[in-house]
Amino acid sequence: MKLFGFRGGIHPQSNKFTTREKGIMPLPLADKLYLPVQQHIGAPAQPIVAVGEKVLKGQLLAHSQGMISAPVHASTSGTIVNIGNYTAPHPSGLSVRTIVLEPDGQDRWQENETEISVNPFQLTTDEIAARVGAAGIVGMGGATFPAAVKLGLGKQQPITTLIINGGECEPYLTCDDLLMQQRSDEIIDGIRIMLHALNAERALIAIEDNKPTAINNMTIAANLFANVKVVSVPSLYPMGSEKQMIQMLTGKEIPAKQRSSDIGIVVHNVGTAYAVHKAMRHGHNLTSRIVTVGGGAVREPQNYEVPLGTRVSELFKHCGGFKKTPARILMGGPMMGQVLPHTDVPIIKGSSGVIALTAAEIAREKTMPCIRCGSCTDVCPCGLLPLEMARRANKGDLDGAMDYGLMDCISCGSCAYVCPSHIPLVQYFNFAKGELAARQVEKQHNDVTRELAAQRQQRLDAEARLKAEAAAKRKAQRAAQQQPAPADKESVA
Amino acid sequence: MSETTPFSGPHTHAPRSVGKVMFSVMFALFPATLFGIYLFGWPALFLFTITIASAVISEIICLRLSNKPIGFYLLDGSAILTAWLLAMTLPPWAPWWIGVVGGAFAIFFGKHVFGGIGQNIFNPAMLARVVLLIAFPLEMTTWANPLPFTDTHAPDFFAGLDITLNGYAVDTMSSASVLGHVKTELSHGKALSEILANGYSSYSMATGYSNGSLGETSVYLLLAGGLLLIGLRIISWHIPLAMIASVFLLASLFHLIDPQHYPAADFHLWSGGLMLGAFFIATDPVTSPNSAMGKIIFGAACGLLVYVIRTWGSYPEGMAFAVMLMNAVTPVIDHYIRPRIYGYKRKRVPLSYNSEAGS
């Protein structure tokens, strides 16, 4: 298939060799599982279980709230021992409402006979979306956007192409690679169900060419179906970014301020396709995911099938602990991953990997002034001038940074990766984006306040007017009672 | 353990630093520099060393005055590179104080008055060269004839030291550079075929066996160094190619119109440090545009100015002036020439696929 390429990009050391040949290992159940009610983009789920309640694997623990939300299910059978605030897997170290489940060791699924007897290809889009939504499936590549919402897009506008993202361009991560190597038939089935839901013509599965086994196995599995095609794409970061992947495969860009569906394209991750298969064919709600444990500090890097809610510390423990002191522990890959405050945080739906990096791998050096070498401009996949944006963001000139395209930045970090001056460009951009968001909120707040003030004034005016009218009326009445002959009086006046 | 402050990605970094960039450029300059020192002997080596020492001492003073960590900034190599490039453009047997004044001027007024590394508007080496040329025209246009170490007439260590410290007999051992010679003779009304009849050889100019600045005579070695830098992605091809192409096209055009008055393109390409300028000086990241298109405009305009100054200006060589003039224009180029942002047309309106299919 003809590929179109995209602008810029970088070739970080992939370091995938440590885990990609080693298969997926099951992870023994931990003593306790910590299930945050917010594992997705959108409104947090609302707990419906009580402390002390016994639950089965896959049972609903918290239901979704509103359109953009996702439910949370029990990752195994056991007892709810607490519902409280625990540290979220986020750099802030802030806490999130979390349901704590103590496994009973039986790992018993809830009954689901009725759901799996149905052929998914006889279901409507709404029925599939409802089932996928109820299964708690979100974007498994890390975006964690509720998958059901994206499956319903075919009803709003015609979708021609479903792109399945098997890029996995982040260094170290091999969870998608192994999923594709070992569970290709299930993924293809999930893709076909998604195609049916979207009413799309074809599915393109894009896999970076540094995953030959995955490409081979997926191609074999896809061969039976004319409308599902595997495409080998160059290993170039940020291939896994939706915008860049679409451009690589179709030559089209998502027009500014629009979504991919506006040009007839929907992108889902391979892990999402697998989860859809499990939900539609086996009635299994999302209770586990594949997680890569890696990084130079880890003794035995490995991929595990992890029950959601397992703490990160458990994963490192099963990998034999650390052979070197980790300088930074991340959830996700080294390019865009989140720094974890500590390892007592749970694996959630979007956790593709937990990476413990040594100081040498981080390769952090003291920041120098910008020498305007333009490396950042050369590698930016969005055609931005990171050095100019950073200069403006740094001195608080948010409008200037916006003018240089701050909001079109995807935070991929290619610029900061190549910067010879080691300037933390993404840090600056994230700061500026945060400031802009705060400013937006403040503006909205001000607008609301102004609106309310205006309404109040109107109300007061109306009241005053009514009062004045009433007073005038009363006065007129009083006058009428006291003066039986107003007509004369009037004529005098 | 992990850091207490949240820190955005990326959490890994390419093995690059400002120091590595600077030292790579020096590495690429090495062959041409060695050749220049070989060709012009001990005085060239002394001048080269003095210029760099002067710049390094000036850098230390400036860093000290501005309360910046001295070791950290000195190791970035930028002061050494600036002086190195300046030395490459000096007459090889120039007296010691040319190197001292040049190196100091480049660092004090070319770099630190603007705020240090990355802040300067003009290329510091070229700024210093222009100041030297205007202040000391005689010393800056006296070109020693090639006299390699292997030559029996070459000055030994002490004779070389004497030349650097006390000067030398200008008449016997020097002559005008080829560009200067042609310019003078043309102004005397001679035809080009007559002027170049004796002494000029395209071959000797390209290999570097001709008089000229310390490090700009060997076209091949400079070209090799420049290509290495492109290969290492330290510089991009845009500026050198645009610059060389622009000089080539202009020279060819005018040579075609009047071959007796305008030398052919090879004469221009092989002389006066065009290669040094195109690959090592105009490409200075701090003072050249950022976008690919901006670089092409910058390079082409530099080439145009070099040709115009060489042909119609009052100086035989125009590289330093051309680069500095374009340095001044760089902020304007960067303001107007920006890459197209993803999802937008060039004019910053969102792309649309509805009206014009497949656009």
Side-chain angles (χ1 to χ4, degrees):
Chain A
M1 200 182 113
K2 183 179 187 264
L3 295 175
F4 295 86
F6 59 79
R7 190 189 189 285
I10 54 169
H11 295 96
Q13 232 188 343
S14 84
N15 289 328
K16 291 176 190 278
F17 62 92
T18 50
T19 50
R20 72 164 159 228
E21 310 289 341
K22 286 161 85 175
I24 304 168
M25 296 260 284
L27 191 77
L29 281 170
D31 293 340
K32 282 190 181 115
L33 299 176
Y34 299 80
L35 294 155
V37 295
Q38 175 94 65
Q39 303 185 32
H40 50 266
I41 287 179
Q46 178 66 37
I48 55 159
V49 287
V51 174
E53 203 173 322
K54 294 221 180 302
V55 293
L56 292 171
K57 186 173 184 177
Q59 186 179 327
L60 184 68
L61 301 184
H63 66 72
S64 70
Q65 297 256 77
M67 274 294 290
I68 314 283
S69 183
V72 174
H73 302 90
S75 315
T76 186
S77 56
T79 314
I80 307 296
V81 292
N82 193 12
I83 300 175
N85 287 327
Y86 291 86
T87 313
H90 185 268
S92 66
L94 293 175
S95 58
V96 59
R97 202 154 181 226
T98 301
I99 301 169
V100 186
L101 172 63
E102 192 172 271
D104 58 13
Q106 295 174 18
D107 205 28
R108 202 146 53 87
W109 279 97
Q110 64 172 356
E111 301 294 320
N112 50 35
E113 299 302 326
T114 48
E115 280 169 328
I116 56 171
S117 56
V118 186
N119 177 357
F121 293 99
Q122 285 168 352
L123 297 176
T124 64
T125 300
D126 285 339
E127 286 166 334
I128 294 176
R131 177 70 201 100
V132 167
I137 299 171
V138 299
M140 302 293 280
T144 67
F145 188 81
V149 181
K150 274 164 85 177
L151 283 181
L153 286 172
K155 286 178 64 187
Q156 291 162 25
Q157 50 214 133
I159 302 297
T160 54
T161 307
L162 165 65
I163 292 177
I164 297 296
N165 190 340
E168 201 168 53
C169 55
E170 278 269 12
Y172 282 112
L173 299 186
T174 52
C175 58
D176 289 351
D177 186 358
L178 283 167
L179 197 69
M180 290 188 286
Q181 285 186 36
Q182 301 197 342
R183 301 178 192 176
S184 48
D185 289 326
E186 291 88 334
I187 297 171
I188 299 291
D189 185 63
I191 292 169
R192 291 182 59 238
I193 296 169
M194 288 166 127
L195 269 178
H196 171 69
L198 285 165
N199 199 19
E201 291 162 19
R202 58 167 183 171
L204 299 175
I205 308 166
I207 307 173
E208 278 195 353
D209 57 13
N210 60 5
K211 307 177 196 30
T213 316
I215 292 175
N216 183 53
N217 295 2
M218 290 291 284
T219 308
I220 291 169
N223 253 344
L224 297 168
F225 310 102
N227 58 349
V228 182
K229 201 174 163 196
V230 174
V231 186
S232 168
V233 292
S235 303
L236 176 65
Y237 182 89
M239 182 65 71
S241 156
E242 176 171 297
K243 286 179 166 184
Q244 276 61 42
M245 181 160 277
I246 290 173
Q247 196 178 6
M248 173 62 79
L249 293 179
T250 67
K252 285 184 177 177
E253 297 175 18
I254 304 174
K257 300 178 181 94
Q258 293 188 37
R259 289 177 302 181
S260 65
S261 55
D262 293 322
I263 53 171
I265 297 169
V266 170
V267 182
H268 279 286
N269 177 265
V270 282
T272 313
Y274 177 74
V276 167
H277 161 84
K278 293 295 258 187
M280 301 307 297
R281 296 289 191 178
H282 303 275
H284 284 175
N285 295 327
L286 184 63
T287 59
S288 68
R289 67 157 298 139
I290 317 289
V291 180
T292 306
V293 188
V298 176
R299 195 177 299 278
E300 285 289 335
Q302 179 68 47
N303 274 277
Y304 289 103
E305 177 136 32
V306 182
L308 297 175
T310 307
R311 279 186 160 176
V312 170
S313 51
E314 296 282 330
L315 272 71
F316 285 127
K317 205 170 78 192
H318 283 281
C319 287
F322 299 123
K323 61 179 177 190
K324 288 178 190 154
T325 316
R328 209 174 284 174
I329 293 177
L330 308 172
M331 184 162 279
M335 291 302 297
M336 289 185 76
Q338 306 258 33
V339 177
L340 291 182
H342 50 73
T343 56
D344 284 336
V345 292
I347 292 293
I348 55 174
K349 293 172 181 177
S351 315
S352 44
V354 285
I355 309 291
L357 297 175
T358 63
E361 287 175 294
I362 294 172
R364 173 122 189 87
E365 283 180 30
K366 237 171 108 180
T367 299
M368 291 270 300
C370 171
I371 55 166
R372 297 181 44 80
C373 67
S375 304
C376 52
T377 309
D378 293 341
V379 299
C380 179
C382 298
L384 303 172
L385 290 163
L387 77 170
E388 300 290 353
M389 270 158 53
R391 204 172 74 186
R392 283 159 181 79
N394 222 7
K395 60 179 185 194
D397 175 11
L398 295 181
D399 292 316
M402 285 255 279
D403 180 48
Y404 274 91
L406 179 67
M407 297 323 273
D408 297 290
C409 165
I410 57 169
S411 295
C412 70
S414 299
C415 52
Y417 176 80
V418 296
C419 177
S421 295
H422 287 248
I423 298 170
L425 293 154
V426 182
Q427 181 94 339
Y428 292 172
F429 302 154
N430 285 347
F431 170 76
K433 285 174 189 171
E435 287 287 294
L436 274 175
R439 202 209 244 179
Q440 212 100 40
V441 169
E442 193 176 347
K443 186 176 172 295
Q444 268 168 8
H445 184 80
N446 286 343
D447 287 349
V448 170
T449 311
R450 201 175 302 122
E451 180 78 2
L452 287 176
Q455 282 174 4
R456 177 163 185 272
Q457 195 55 49
Q458 264 178 358
R459 207 169 54 238
L460 290 179
D461 289 350
E463 273 172 23
R465 202 169 48 243
L466 283 175
K467 235 182 236 168
E469 278 170 17
K473 220 182 210 171
R474 271 201 306 278
K475 205 171 171 186
Q477 278 171 357
R478 255 202 316 277
Q481 281 163 7
Q482 284 170 4
Q483 309 245 302
D488 294 351
K489 182 99 180 170
E490 235 163 346
S491 60
V492 173
Chain B
M1 262 300 296
S2 39
E3 301 186 6
T4 44
T5 42
F7 202 84
S8 296
H11 307 284
T12 180
H13 200 281
R16 295 184 82 195
S17 67
V18 173
K20 278 181 188 155
V21 169
M22 299 292 169
F23 286 108
S24 306
V25 178
M26 291 181 215
F27 182 76
L29 279 171
F30 215 74
T33 312
L34 275 187
F35 179 79
I37 290 172
Y38 160 77
L39 197 64
F40 298 109
W42 286 107
L45 180 60
F46 294 139
L47 182 69
F48 182 76
T49 315
I50 288 169
T51 310
I52 289 182
S54 163
V56 169
I57 292 166
S58 308
E59 176 87 355
I60 292 172
I61 295 170
C62 288
L63 290 172
R64 195 146 190 160
L65 286 174
S66 52
N67 282 325
K68 287 178 181 162
I70 291 170
F72 176 67
Y73 278 101
L74 205 57
L75 282 178
D76 70 29
S78 58
I80 301 173
L81 181 59
T82 296
W84 191 319
L85 286 169
L86 171 64
M88 297 283 275
T89 68
L90 295 177
W93 286 19
W96 62 275
W97 47 267
I98 287 280
V100 170
V101 172
F105 197 89
I107 298 302
F108 275 101
F109 295 94
K111 182 178 178 186
H112 280 281
V113 292
F114 291 100
I117 185 167
Q119 308 300 313
N120 46 300
I121 295 169
F122 299 103
N123 186 315
M126 289 302 98
L127 189 73
R129 183 183 148 74
V130 165
V131 165
L132 291 173
L133 185 62
I134 293 170
F136 313 111
L138 183 65
E139 287 79 2
M140 286 297 286
T141 52
T142 306
W143 310 100
N145 293 327
L147 206 55
F149 275 109
T150 47
D151 194 296
T152 45
H153 299 290
D156 62 11
F157 181 86
F158 293 104
L161 204 58
D162 189 50
I163 288 171
T164 305
L165 295 178
N166 303 318
Y168 62 105
V170 169
D171 294 341
T172 53
M173 304 182 87
S174 70
S175 55
S177 68
V178 180
L179 275 175
H181 175 66
V182 167
K183 183 146 210 138
T184 317
E185 295 297 299
L186 276 175
S187 67
H188 293 162
K190 288 193 187 168
L192 207 54
S193 53
E194 202 181 331
I195 302 167
L196 294 177
N198 53 345
Y200 170 74
S201 132
S202 169
Y203 172 77
S204 70
M205 281 180 76
T207 51
Y209 270 94
S210 63
N211 57 7
S213 298
L214 198 161
E216 61 184 37
T217 58
S218 175
V219 170
Y220 291 139
L221 295 177
L222 289 167
L223 195 62
L227 293 177
L228 175 73
L229 287 186
I230 293 177
L232 290 173
R233 293 175 168 244
I234 303 278
I235 62 170
S236 70
W237 55 266
H238 304 86
I239 291 176
L241 187 74
M243 194 160 166
I244 292 168
S246 139
V247 170
F248 178 84
L249 290 175
L250 284 165
S252 302
L253 178 72
F254 282 97
H255 184 65
L256 210 64
I257 296 170
D258 184 357
Q260 282 306 321
H261 223 93
Y262 301 103
D266 64 333
F267 174 85
H268 277 283
L269 296 192
W270 299 160
S271 62
L274 183 75
M275 292 296 154
L276 182 72
F279 284 101
F280 293 93
I281 290 170
T283 52
D284 167 33
V286 178
T287 54
S288 64
N290 229 273
S291 61
M293 194 32 130
K295 284 177 182 161
I296 289 175
I297 294 171
F298 177 89
C302 276
L304 171 77
L305 287 170
V306 166
Y307 187 80
V308 166
I309 295 170
R310 279 183 181 183
T311 309
W312 298 288
S314 49
Y315 287 93
E317 162 60 349
M319 180 58 69
F321 293 106
V323 169
M324 282 187 62
L325 277 168
M326 288 315 294
N327 287 162
V329 183
T330 294
V332 181
I333 295 178
D334 270 342
H335 182 79
Y336 285 105
I337 311 288
R338 302 183 194 177
R340 184 182 65 80
I341 298 177
Y342 182 103
Y344 291 90
K345 295 179 185 171
R346 280 232 161 262
K347 293 214 134 171
R348 200 70 187 278
V349 289
L351 282 174
S352 98
Y353 292 102
N354 306 327
S355 48
E356 23 180 345
S359 68

